[in-house]
Amino acid sequence: MNKEALTPTLLLHAYAQGYFPMAESRDARELFWVDPDMRGIIPLDGLRISRRLARTIRQDRFRVTVNRDFAGVMAACAAPAPKRRETWINEDILRLYNALHEMGFAHSLECWHEGKLVGGLYGVCMQAAFFGESMFSRMRDASKVALAHLVARMRAGSFRLLDTQFVTDHLKSLGAVEIPRDQYHVLLADALSHEADFFYWPEEVSGATVLQSITQTS
């Protein structure tokens, strides 16, 4: 892919067609488009919350914020970790998604503990679809708490699609499923034809409110 020709606007058009970019490694100079045969999603009524995780959320063990440190979340997702020595987030992806954030199309959720950023996630938001890109955790369950807050926020704001791109064992344990490409494109088209409000809730909400949003029936 000609990275000089890849702009934030082109990136949004690609997402609307079901594509997303990746790099082979942190130091790779090239990006490539991905539209997998099987796509990962988390049904907004299917997030799995264990009793231990529910207790952590209810106790507000982490302070969860929105868009307080988008660049910091991206940098943490791009950094090597004990179970992830390599990452697909290179300098071009950092540049492009930070630009999307400045344009209002990319958002982050951060988990803080004693003033330190210990977990979070980021993704792209278009109409009633949220395209989850990556998450990280420096304390137990921090990324799971961020995901729970994201799903609750999406449910409250009338979203229709949470795209996880791929399904890992970690995401599967939280309710992620794989669907065929054709089915994903149907869901994508539907989500892009509806309006949603990522900021329907205030920036910070309690864990009890999050759990209520996740568990209530539509």
Side-chain angles (χ1 to χ4, degrees):
M1 181 190 303
N2 183 352
K3 63 183 180 181
E4 285 74 18
L6 182 54
T7 64
T9 300
L10 179 59
L11 192 52
L12 292 176
H13 286 305
Y15 272 100
Q17 300 300 317
Y19 293 88
F20 58 88
M22 294 188 71
E24 289 288 355
S25 68
R26 180 72 173 80
D27 298 322
R29 297 184 178 182
E30 298 293 329
L31 301 178
F32 57 92
W33 293 117
V34 182
D35 182 19
D37 292 337
M38 299 296 292
R39 192 73 165 237
I41 67 167
I42 294 180
L44 293 178
D45 60 355
L47 183 67
R48 295 176 188 162
I49 302 292
S50 68
R51 281 179 291 182
R52 179 176 55 79
L53 179 57
R55 184 169 59 251
T56 298
I57 295 170
R58 189 177 297 108
Q59 292 173 346
D60 291 316
R61 197 165 298 173
F62 304 107
R63 180 190 176 203
V64 183
T65 59
V66 177
N67 289 342
R68 284 295 181 94
D69 192 0
F70 184 88
V73 170
M74 276 210 76
C77 289
K83 294 183 179 180
R84 185 195 65 218
R85 303 308 304 172
E86 191 52 84
T87 175
W88 52 269
I89 302 172
N90 68 0
E91 290 298 327
D92 290 312
I93 287 178
L94 288 169
R95 171 182 59 81
L96 286 163
Y97 287 83
N98 274 288
L100 285 180
H101 174 63
E102 293 296 323
M103 294 166 63
F105 288 102
H107 304 301
S108 61
L109 274 73
E110 304 90 12
C111 286
W112 306 86
H113 181 72
E114 297 181 349
K116 295 181 179 180
L117 181 65
V118 296
L121 58 81
Y122 76 96
V124 175
C125 187
M126 294 175 63
Q127 303 301 104
F130 189 90
F131 308 90
E133 287 296 317
S134 189
M135 61 175 62
F136 80 99
S137 188
R138 292 171 179 157
M139 286 185 65
R140 184 174 184 176
D141 289 341
S143 62
K144 294 180 181 179
V145 170
L147 179 62
H149 274 253
L150 172 66
V151 170
R153 178 172 291 272
M154 290 178 66
R155 284 174 60 92
S158 300
F159 279 79
R160 290 174 172 252
L161 175 64
L162 174 51
D163 175 8
T164 68
Q165 300 179 348
F166 301 106
V167 171
T168 63
D169 289 340
H170 174 67
L171 289 175
K172 189 179 296 184
S173 71
L174 294 167
V177 297
E178 283 187 320
I179 60 174
R181 177 191 293 150
D182 290 347
Q183 183 180 349
Y184 170 78
H185 280 268
V186 171
L187 295 178
L188 175 62
D190 174 70
L192 295 180
S193 69
H194 289 81
E195 295 292 333
D197 186 358
F198 193 78
F199 298 102
Y200 178 83
W201 272 352
E203 179 189 3
E204 298 182 46
V205 295
S206 70
T209 301
V210 165
L211 289 174
Q212 182 180 16
S213 176
I214 292 172
T215 56
Q216 69 185 7
T217 57
S218 301

